Amino acid sequence: MRIDHVAIAVNNLDEAVKEYQNALGIKEVEIETVETEGVRVAILHLDNSRIELMEPTKDSSPIKKFLDTKGEGLHHLALETEGIESEVERMKTCGIKFLGEVRSGSRGTKITFIHPKSLHGVLAELCSHPK
């Protein structure tokens, strides 16, 4: 496993992208809407990882709920794994709890989230990128 990205919840994606680009000198940015998660995502490419800025697209989005209760800030840490299904099964045998099943995320990635109670208060995403 490796750290794939750090996700940050924001109220205004366009404004946040400009601020991050200016502050960090980031040139390459991809923007995508993930309807199934109710978010618009900006992927900021770094040399060795990515930052994902997330803005809710609907009131039922988990990101909207997060922003309403906690405000803008760090939402989750994403860990990349080669075989997400087998990794989920292995982790379940260790007592790790998940928030939902493996599903599609941005850019054809398979994702699932580990319940924060399983990792000392940290929400973590497991992801596998398409080959």
Side-chain angles (χ1 to χ4, degrees):
M1 263 192 231
R2 72 174 191 88
I3 294 175
D4 183 73
H5 66 270
V6 174
I8 300 166
V10 299
N11 289 312
N12 184 313
L13 189 70
D14 297 323
E15 181 181 297
V17 166
K18 287 177 191 173
E19 291 169 355
Y20 271 82
Q21 282 185 296
N22 288 336
L24 304 179
I26 295 170
K27 302 279 188 259
E28 188 180 350
V29 177
E30 296 174 58
I31 296 180
E32 178 181 355
T33 299
V34 183
E35 295 295 338
T36 57
E37 299 296 314
V39 294
R40 196 166 147 240
V41 178
I43 301 167
L44 311 175
H45 294 274
L46 305 173
D47 288 341
N48 60 353
S49 190
R50 298 178 297 132
I51 295 172
E52 288 189 3
L53 304 174
M54 304 180 304
E55 171 190 71
T57 59
K58 54 188 174 186
D59 287 341
S60 62
S61 168
I63 300 306
K64 172 73 169 134
K65 292 174 188 168
F66 179 90
L67 287 166
D68 288 346
T69 57
K70 297 184 180 186
E72 293 183 304
L74 181 64
H75 183 262
H76 69 267
L77 171 68
L79 303 167
E80 181 183 7
T81 181
E82 288 293 318
I84 192 168
E85 290 87 356
S86 61
E87 192 62 24
V88 165
E89 292 308 312
R90 184 194 68 76
M91 292 175 115
K92 283 180 179 179
T93 66
C94 299
I96 300 295
K97 304 291 183 211
F98 288 86
L99 300 170
E101 301 298 320
V102 174
R103 58 192 178 273
S104 296
S106 67
R107 300 169 53 209
T109 302
K110 289 183 179 181
I111 66 167
T112 191
F113 286 89
I114 298 171
H115 195 290
K117 290 182 180 177
S118 291
L119 295 177
H120 302 272
V122 176
L123 178 62
E125 174 187 0
L126 285 185
C127 61
S128 285
H129 297 285
K131 303 233 186 251

